[in-house]
Amino acid sequence: MPASSPRSRRPAGETRTRMLAAAVERVQAEGLLLDYANLGMEDLIRVAGVPRSTVFRIWPDRVAFVSDVVRALFEADPGFDAGFDGETLQVLQAAIAQGDETAGGGRDRDAVLRQAVRLAVTHNIVAVERSLAYRAYRTMSAALMSGDSVPGGEEVRALLVEIESRYLERMAAAYRALNDALGLRMRPGLDARNLAVAVMATIDGMSDHRRIDPTQMDTPLSVAIGRDDAEEWHVAALAVYGVYTMFTEPVDP
């Protein structure tokens, strides 16, 4: 992003926009480093061509700036608003539509749920790794959990709690819609947000192992469940299906 002048005449809103754009471009090219070293304020001020004094009025320190960069990454990611990436959401919406068509048939309901989970999770565990926002989130989580001194650790934790809370509510809304379509309800003592937490933790853990040994994680398993013929399942999809069935029960057994 070329610098332009005069810098001193840029209003605060434009300065903010240009700085965040420069930082997002840097993260797109390099990722977000554990110590945020590639988001040096002075360097980005030069790249963005904005007045230093205005930048430090907006962000008194780098932690505040990094927090806004990560928010910008998530707010630009359509999967954050929906709770899932586009293709995963399409799979779930198709399952909801099919569930509405087959309402009342117990076996059909179970088969629709299995297909929804099998297809959605198999796609989603790959899609999350392509998401810039997700990778930044995982980097900040790793930095926080490393045991090393993290700049602005409490602010980072508060940001991650904020992002998780918003994302989990969107996931929970999708699960409520799926449950309604399939005639399911949460087991007593549980709610859709609990289910969203458990599924997110499962996907996150599986994604961590997938980065280490993708062949082991992605090798399909041939599994027959219920009366269905054997089908290919990703191990993460099997794990999520187990979680989903333990957290829910039929409205009319």
Side-chain angles (χ1 to χ4, degrees):
M1 182 181 296
S4 58
S5 58
R7 294 183 180 188
S8 60
R9 295 180 184 174
R10 295 195 186 283
E14 183 182 348
T15 295
R16 180 184 182 88
T17 298
R18 290 176 68 90
M19 277 292 288
L20 290 176
V24 167
E25 185 175 323
R26 180 73 55 83
V27 174
Q28 287 172 335
E30 302 176 4
L32 182 65
L33 302 184
L34 280 172
D35 59 359
Y36 321 136
N38 58 336
L39 293 183
M41 300 287 283
E42 298 291 350
D43 180 40
L44 289 170
I45 286 169
R46 287 192 295 273
V47 171
V50 293
R52 185 177 185 277
S53 58
T54 305
V55 167
F56 283 100
R57 281 199 301 272
I58 298 171
W59 299 287
D61 54 55
R62 189 169 59 164
V63 171
F65 177 65
V66 171
S67 293
D68 277 355
V69 171
V70 173
R71 285 191 183 92
L73 289 170
F74 271 89
E75 288 167 0
D77 186 337
F80 182 55
D81 282 333
F84 299 94
D85 66 279
E87 191 168 333
T88 300
L89 188 61
Q90 287 175 6
V91 171
L92 290 174
Q93 289 172 338
I96 290 170
Q98 189 174 353
D100 288 338
E101 292 173 3
T102 60
R107 185 179 171 213
D108 286 339
R109 174 190 59 217
D110 295 340
V112 171
L113 177 62
R114 281 196 290 275
Q115 287 303 306
V117 171
R118 188 176 71 88
L119 297 174
V121 174
T122 299
H123 174 78
N124 185 246
I125 199 164
V126 175
V128 293
E129 289 300 320
R130 299 176 185 150
S131 166
L132 185 63
Y134 178 81
R135 293 200 304 272
Y137 166 83
R138 297 297 289 161
T139 297
M140 296 184 81
S141 298
L144 198 62
M145 301 302 177
S146 67
D148 298 330
S149 177
V150 177
E154 287 309 309
E155 290 87 348
V156 170
R157 188 183 301 277
L159 173 62
L160 296 182
V161 169
E162 174 194 330
I163 288 172
E164 277 196 6
S165 180
R166 292 169 61 187
Y167 186 66
L168 286 168
E169 189 48 50
R170 289 167 171 80
M171 290 178 66
Y175 295 147
R176 291 186 195 103
L178 183 59
N179 286 350
D180 289 345
L182 297 180
L184 298 172
R185 64 188 175 201
M186 303 306 301
R187 293 184 187 274
L190 299 172
D191 60 28
R193 192 179 178 89
N194 300 140
L195 175 59
V197 169
V199 172
M200 184 178 72
T202 301
I203 295 295
D204 283 354
M206 293 282 185
S207 295
D208 286 343
H209 287 289
R210 187 174 180 273
R211 283 193 291 272
I212 297 168
D213 189 353
T215 300
Q216 160 126 356
M217 293 300 298
D218 290 343
T219 298
L221 306 173
S222 180
V223 181
I225 300 176
R227 299 180 183 178
D228 291 348
D229 294 334
E231 294 181 290
E232 288 190 348
W233 283 78
H234 193 287
V235 64
L238 280 172
V240 170
Y241 178 69
V243 168
Y244 210 109
T245 55
M246 288 305 298
F247 274 62
T248 60
E249 62 184 11
V251 173
D252 297 311

